[in-house]
Amino acid sequence: QVQPVESGGGLVQAGDSLRLSCAGSGRTFSRYAIGWFRQAPGKEREFVAAISWSSGSTYYADSVKGRCTISRDVAKNTVYLQMNSLEPEEAARYYCAADRATARDMGAKVRETGVDYWGQGTQVTVSS
């Protein structure tokens, strides 16, 4: 089992950039796809981006494609989410999840089935 631990959230102005980190605790991410999700109060959890640990293949929600980059550091057992040009509507608590799925399938799996492991989340606030 691997426990995702998120960090890097904070308060930013609209248009600013932020990098979130998801560190794997206990075991490596090698057998998993790692996804980033966000949830604002009263809203459903929303898929943002995912990466396959083994291949490095990435998949993005249409809403962030071109502004967001997900990457991994194998040596640090950490996944990063670089977010640029943040909008106020993207303020949310951001969660990292690990699952034995492809990066492409992560969003659907969270919505329809659930995933193996969730982190505690890190708060991102975007002011206009």
Side-chain angles (χ1 to χ4, degrees):
Q1 299 184 23
V2 59
Q3 177 62 53
V5 180
E6 304 96 330
S7 62
L11 173 64
V12 298
Q13 295 283 336
D16 284 355
S17 299
L18 197 64
R19 190 185 74 168
L20 306 181
S21 298
C22 175
S25 177
R27 300 181 182 178
T28 69
F29 282 132
S30 61
R31 301 170 63 185
Y32 299 92
I34 315 301
W36 281 99
F37 302 81
R38 61 193 178 196
Q39 187 170 29
K43 303 293 184 180
E44 293 184 341
R45 205 156 17 220
E46 177 188 15
F47 171 75
V48 179
I51 186 168
S52 171
W53 190 263
S54 59
S55 70
S57 297
T58 59
Y59 194 75
Y60 298 93
D62 289 342
S63 61
V64 303
K65 200 168 188 177
R67 298 186 296 110
C68 180
T69 302
I70 188 169
S71 61
R72 76 206 196 285
D73 187 324
V74 175
K76 296 180 179 179
N77 200 39
T78 299
V79 170
Y80 302 100
L81 182 68
Q82 177 70 43
M83 299 184 291
N84 301 321
S85 302
L86 281 163
E87 300 290 338
E89 66 185 4
E90 296 179 293
R93 192 165 185 86
Y94 282 69
Y95 296 89
C96 182
D99 193 81
R100 292 181 178 86
T102 65
R104 178 185 296 272
D105 292 340
M106 281 291 286
K109 190 162 186 181
V110 167
R111 183 179 66 253
E112 299 172 3
T113 306
V115 296
D116 291 343
Y117 308 105
W118 285 103
Q120 79 289 343
T122 184
Q123 189 69 41
V124 174
T125 303
V126 185
S127 61
S128 59

